[in-house]
Amino acid sequence: MSDTEPDDSGTRRPGATPVTDLNLLRTFLAVHRSGSFTAAAGLLGLSQPTVTERIRSLERQTGRELFERLPRGVAPTSVADDLAARVAAPLDALAAALGHEAAPHERAAPVHLAGPAELLCVRVLPLLAPLVEDGVRLRVAPGLTEPLLDGLRAGRHDLVIATFRPRGRSLVAVPLMDEEFVLVAAPAWAGRVRGRPAAEVPAALRAVPLVAYAEDLPIARRYWRHVFGTRLSRPADVTVPDLRGVLAAVAAGAGFSVLPRYLCASGLASGALVLLHEPEDPPLNTGYLVRRPGRADNPDVTRVRDALVAAGRSW
């Protein structure tokens, strides 16, 4: 047998040794699926130094770097992605044939999902609960879209729910849901505004406290511009950097706000909140489900993605 390794043309590179140790390949696959040596060690019941040494041994045998070491975890190289695509199914099939199939919590690495805290807590986690019951493991990270997309590019997340479509071709984005914004308050404030023509609503609300997500009023300003065709030029009376906190303050009578309809649905149904204005063309914001290009090595990533896309059609 020639001491060479296949290159892109199908030949074998000089200096590479054929890999015959299945333990090395199993360890490699665990690292590739989990995204870190530490997580792979936990999945395999090994020490981290053992995992590290096995990966180094595999890299020496193949003559190629398989993982880029990051401050948090590792990122697979294109060589590693190709190797994982070739060995994953045979190794999984061999484990099942030998009766060594992993327990549900060990079959695949956790799915790292990130997005807006409010959407994750109110809609996404309840939706994914049946998958968790079926063995899917989740690691959920809330945050703002821009840093979460940076984390996706760096390999820290598998899927990100973004409030805007990312530019460029380094990420793949599909529309997930249209978020409708509504002008709401507790019933005690409704008499000042309800039933008035749209042109009179901004003036009628000047004496009502404004509860907002941030000082620059991003959601309320957009509503004013889209619905009333005017600029909102007042400060917030209360700011809470979590829309669930804004909702709680408004429902308690602190003032009015502009919030996503999905977040207000139960309050509107119970009467704890009322719509102050119902425009024919409410402002919408499209959310996107974003991932890295290529097929996910962890099958549970695909399961989570498919569940979110299916549910998003009815949100």
Side-chain angles (χ1 to χ4, degrees), residues 3 5 13-21 23-25 27-29 31-32 37 49-70 73-81 83:
D3 187 18
E5 177 189 19
R13 292 177 60 228
T17 303
V19 179
T20 59
D21 189 341
N23 287 326
L24 297 186
L25 293 175
T27 303
F28 157 78
L29 192 60
V31 173
H32 193 272
F37 290 170
T50 298
V51 170
T52 301
E53 179 52 37
R54 286 186 178 182
I55 296 301
R56 287 175 178 167
S57 177
L58 187 59
E59 288 178 327
R60 287 194 297 268
Q61 290 188 37
T62 59
R64 304 293 289 271
E65 182 183 28
L66 297 173
F67 297 101
E68 178 187 357
R69 278 61 168 176
L70 304 173
V74 295
T77 64
S78 60
V79 175
D81 287 337
L83 179 60

Side-chain angles (χ1 to χ4, degrees), residues 187-273:
W189 295 107
R192 300 188 181 218
V193 178
R194 293 187 74 180
R196 291 177 178 266
E200 297 179 9
V201 172
L205 286 173
R206 285 175 186 161
V208 181
L210 169 59
V211 186
Y213 178 84
E215 292 289 353
D216 59 348
L217 314 177
I219 301 175
R221 282 192 297 105
R222 179 179 176 186
Y223 189 96
W224 250 243
R225 184 173 62 251
H226 182 92
V227 174
F228 303 128
T230 186
R231 182 172 177 268
L232 179 61
S233 57
R234 58 172 289 180
D237 296 277
V238 179
T239 62
V240 187
D242 187 312
L243 292 179
R244 292 165 297 178
V246 174
L247 174 65
V250 170
F256 78 94
S257 190
V258 179
L259 291 167
R261 181 179 285 274
Y262 79 83
L263 197 62
C264 303
S266 61
L268 291 171
S270 68
L273 295 173

